[in-house]
Amino acid sequence: MELMAHSSAFLLPTISGDHRPSFTYVLVVLNQRLPRFIPLLWKHSQLRVCADGGANRVYDEMPFLFPHEEALDVRHRYKPDVIEGDMDSIRMEVRDFYTSLGTKVVDESHDQDTTDLHKCISYIRDFTPDLDRSNLCVLVAGALGGRFDHEAGNINVLYRFSTMRIILISDDCLIYLLPRTHYHEIYIQSSVEGPHCGLIPIGMPSGNTTTTGLQWDLNDMEMRFGGLVSTSNIVRGEKVTVQSSSDLLWTISIKKT
């Protein structure tokens, strides 16, 4: 079975050659409160995409993260490359401000069958030929919190684009998919994440899951809703391994300091 390696090095101030694996990052900002470390995600990303009202969040909230700077200077520095979505949430003055700075606007108002995150991921996959796709990783800020149906829709995007690396991020935790087609090694950045973690089978039961590196490891165990689900687990070291007969969601807490 092919190995798939994972790392949250994007939460570190600098990403050195020692951090494995190495990724090309793209940032997607949704219409939820920006996480406190959004400037780090912005710095590490080669492309920054706002999903509709996510542009309002960048415009309104970024200046509060730099209280000793002029708001206009901050807004010029943190200019999204693309605004994508059905355009039902972005304020006109925000749209006009960013378009005047050269931001590309992709109006998908004709499509009411997919979420704005789905539209953004499709755009990144299909219409960004300059990106190095060999190890592409999409960081989604504001994907968790707020309405539960929105959260469920964002998790569904992980399954609909299961061949892409997509990480849903909030101030408190991150979530990504572990496809059953691979054996997974998760390199823990203990200075910024953990120790609390979980493995969640959504969509179908996991007939057997085996892990190493957890306080309560699974040994060829079944997981399903209505039965065992590995929540409130704890990482023990710098690497966790997972092998499962079904797709699983991996989640780990993000430290406050």
Side-chain angles (χ1 to χ4, degrees):
M1 183 174 288
E2 188 177 353
L3 171 67
M4 190 173 187
H6 309 267
S7 169
S8 300
F10 54 84
L11 292 173
L12 300 173
T14 59
I15 303 176
S16 69
D18 297 332
H19 293 105
R20 54 179 181 173
S22 176
F23 295 116
T24 299
Y25 293 110
V26 173
L27 176 63
V28 175
V29 181
L30 302 186
N31 191 11
Q32 286 289 336
R33 183 172 61 86
L34 299 181
R36 64 193 181 281
F37 43 79
I38 188 72
L40 267 183
L41 306 183
W42 198 282
K43 181 183 78 169
H44 294 324
S45 299
Q46 293 190 13
L47 180 74
R48 298 96 175 183
V49 181
C50 284
D52 198 359
N56 298 340
R57 297 285 180 167
V58 173
Y59 183 90
D60 294 339
E61 298 178 23
M62 266 306 189
F64 290 109
L65 299 177
F66 302 92
H68 302 298
E69 298 186 40
E70 291 292 333
L72 187 60
D73 293 339
V74 175
R75 288 170 179 149
H76 275 83
R77 187 163 74 248
Y78 291 97
K79 174 190 74 69
D81 300 298
V82 179
I83 300 172
E84 159 82 63
D86 60 11
M87 302 299 148
D88 66 343
S89 300
I90 188 171
R91 302 196 308 271
M92 187 56 66
E93 70 269 21
V94 173
R95 179 171 175 167
D96 290 345
F97 176 81
Y98 287 128
T99 53
S100 72
L101 297 179
T103 297
K104 180 179 181 179
V105 174
V106 182
D107 187 337
E108 296 279 357
S109 55
H110 63 278
D111 177 7
Q112 295 299 313
D113 294 327
T114 61
T115 66
D116 283 335
L117 177 56
H118 187 286
K119 293 178 177 67
C120 288
I121 300 300
S122 294
Y123 175 83
I124 293 165
R125 180 192 63 187
D126 299 333
F127 299 106
T128 52
D130 294 336
L131 282 177
D132 177 6
R133 301 181 184 284
S134 60
N135 234 356
L136 186 66
C137 182
V138 182
L139 309 175
V140 185
L144 308 168
R147 282 170 42 187
F148 177 69
D149 60 328
H150 284 168
E151 287 185 317
N154 294 336
I155 290 171
N156 187 49
V157 167
L158 300 183
Y159 285 81
R160 296 192 68 170
F161 295 89
S162 61
T163 60
M164 296 180 66
R165 292 180 183 267
I166 304 170
I167 304 177
L168 309 182
I169 308 171
S170 74
D171 254 336
D172 302 305
C173 69
L174 57 84
I175 298 175
Y176 51 84
L177 189 70
L178 303 180
R180 64 184 180 275
T181 52
H182 290 71
Y183 172 78
H184 298 276
E185 291 184 347
I186 303 168
Y187 292 90
I188 306 300
Q189 307 299 327
S190 56
S191 64
V192 291
E193 65 179 343
H196 300 98
C197 65
L199 287 164
I200 317 294
I202 290 184
M204 68 176 66
S206 170
N208 54 78
T209 298
T210 298
T211 68
T212 66
L214 301 179
Q215 182 71 49
W216 295 281
D217 272 319
L218 304 170
N219 184 14
D220 199 27
M221 295 184 70
E222 180 188 51
M223 289 197 297
R224 61 182 176 86
F225 278 91
L228 173 69
V229 176
S230 180
T231 60
S232 299
N233 215 323
I234 293 175
V235 296
R236 288 193 292 109
E238 299 302 310
K239 185 173 76 170
V240 171
T241 69
V242 180
Q243 186 169 350
S244 180
S245 62
S246 75
D247 297 342
L248 295 175
L249 292 179
W250 165 258
T251 182
I252 189 167
S253 57
I254 297 176
K255 294 181 177 178
K256 293 297 185 184
T257 56

